[in-house]
Structure formats: structure tokens, C-alpha cells
Amino acid sequence: MRFDIITLFPAIFDGYLSQGLLEKAIQRELIDIHRHDLRDWAPPSVHRPVDDKPFGGGPGMLIQVEPTVNCIEKVETMDPRPMRKLLLTPQGRQFDQRMAEEFAESERIGLICGRYEGFDQRVIDILEPEEVSIGDFILNGGETAAMVIVDAVVRLLPGVLGDSQSNIDDSFSRGNRLLEFPQYTRPREFRGHKVPEILLGGNHAAIEKWRDEQSRQRTIQRRSDLLPEEPSSSN
Ligand code: 6GU
């Protein structure tokens, strides 16, 4: 799977892509991540600005349409696979595990990262990307959101995780919409805090029942919005 990240700050991704599962996935050629510096598409000048003040006034600066559209149209020609274009913005549809599962089916994803007050609207009108947000808060730019999406998608790709079961068991994955149950490892006791007795007994049916119950209780207490709707009793 190929990712193209369009950003004014390509170096933001260096550390993240050189560690852990992402590094391994790149080394094993399961994924291919290309970064493109939007500033390379600015008109030649000393500072190479790609931003300007909004028409009509208002705070901050906007990323201009011409360098952005030129950059993305060029990036699209760099590989024959069609690119699913995502534009990161707090105005977008909220990213979740279902979207990660859907994106993981793509051969190629483009992540367009905004900064400042965002893009000139014509970027969206011309390129028609899907606008995606990662939640109801404001980030300094789309780069961290792009990393969140890459991270969530890559771990779903076949061969990326060691234990192929661990995707299925995770909270929010296809087979499971409950929160995870608590887990423990050695020692059996620390500062008087003991591992629940049931986990030490080896009764696998009882352990599974306990874990299901813990998941259910946690979900009720913390995230009742995740629970399936009660069947309506009215006719
Ligand atoms: Cl995708 N971008 C920015 N700048 N802020 C956000 C976001 C994206 N998602 C949530 N907040």
C-alpha cells in the first residue's frame, strides 16, 4: 500500500516512521510512504510563501490553491494506482475504526495536511478530497492527524501485526465494539494490589466469562455510546 503525504513540514514524520511497527512495515515493503513538501510548489522567490491573507478579512493565513492543486495533481501521476485523497481538517468527518478498516482496503492513500487557518476552499472544490477530522479539538496542523490515520490503517494490513488475532480482539474492531478488559502480568502482587484470583486458576471458560463481564461493565461506565441500541419495546 502506498501513502503520499502532502505537507509543509515533511520532517515531522521522520521519527515516527523510523520506529516500531511502521519502520518494520516499510522495511518489509508492505507499505511505501512518500512525503511531498508543498513549499516546492511555491512560485520561485526568497521565502517561497504558499500562504496569503483571507479575502474578506479575518485572522491568520490560508494555504493557496495554485501550489496545492499543482502539487497534488503531480503526485497523482507518480503512480498508476488511483489515490484516495484525504484532506485533514477539523471540519471533516470524524475518523473511527470503521473508516480505518475501509481505508485499509485502498491501494493508495493521499493525506493532505493543512496548517494555519486551512486551505483556500477551491482546493476542496477542485480536488474533491474526503475531509477527515480526528476529533473535536484543534491541532496546529494536519500532520499529527495524518500520522494517526497512517498508524491505524497500517496495523490492519495483512502481515503487519505478528499475532493475526490481535486485530480482531482490539476494542472497536469489526468483531468487537466493547472496551478492552483489564490485563495483568507478573508479579501476582505489588504494593498489596493483587491480580484477580480468577485469572490464576486456569479455568478458561470462567476467565472468558469474567473478561466479557469486565468489558461490558467498562463500556457501560465509560462509553455507553458504544453499546448497541436497546431494542425498542414500543409497537
Ligand atoms: Cl485533521 N486537523 C487539525 N488542524 N485539527 C484537528 C484535526 C485535523 N482533527 C481534529 N482536530
Side-chain angles (χ1 to χ4, degrees), residues 88-90 114 132-142 145:
L88 290 316
T89 164
V132 179
S133 163
I134 63 163
D136 292 338
F137 42 80
I138 304 297
L139 300 167
N140 289 314

Side-chain angles (χ1 to χ4, degrees), residues 47-106:
H47 297 297
R48 312 212 73 179
V50 288
D51 58 329
D52 207 340
K53 295 182 295 241
F55 282 121
M61 301 286 271
L62 298 175
I63 302 179
Q64 290 172 287
V65 61
E66 185 173 346
T68 310
V69 168
N70 286 344
C71 172
I72 289 157
E73 285 179 349
K74 175 66 184 181
V75 166
E76 285 196 280
T77 69
M78 292 176 181
D79 190 286
R81 290 169 285 187
M83 184 166 84
R84 185 162 184 173
K85 293 187 285 287
L86 311 181
L87 187 144
L88 290 316
T89 164
Q91 275 71 52
R93 180 154 78 101
Q94 188 165 328
F95 184 63
D96 63 13
Q97 191 66 20
R98 281 171 212 266
M99 283 163 80
E101 286 162 2
E102 198 191 305
F103 295 159
E105 310 279 322
S106 311

Side-chain angles (χ1 to χ4, degrees), residues 175-224:
N176 183 5
R177 303 281 167 193
L178 299 178
L179 299 183
E180 295 255 279
F181 45 79
Q183 302 225 66
Y184 301 85
T185 184
R186 290 188 291 180
R188 288 175 177 230
E189 183 174 341
F190 181 71
R191 297 188 182 169
H193 293 253
K194 292 181 176 154
V195 175
E197 203 63 44
I198 191 153
L199 299 175
L200 308 173
N203 181 339
H204 296 295
I207 289 170
E208 198 182 341
K209 188 159 168 266
W210 181 84
R211 287 176 164 171
D212 279 350
E213 190 49 35
Q214 292 288 319
S215 280
R216 219 165 295 283
Q217 284 306 325
R218 267 195 178 179
T219 310
I220 290 166
Q221 283 166 8
R222 301 181 186 183
R223 291 294 308 275
S224 58

Side-chain angles (χ1 to χ4, degrees), residues 36-50:
H36 310 277
D37 189 341
L38 203 47
R39 207 170 293 283
D40 295 342
W41 298 86
S45 76
V46 182
H47 297 297
R48 312 212 73 179
V50 288

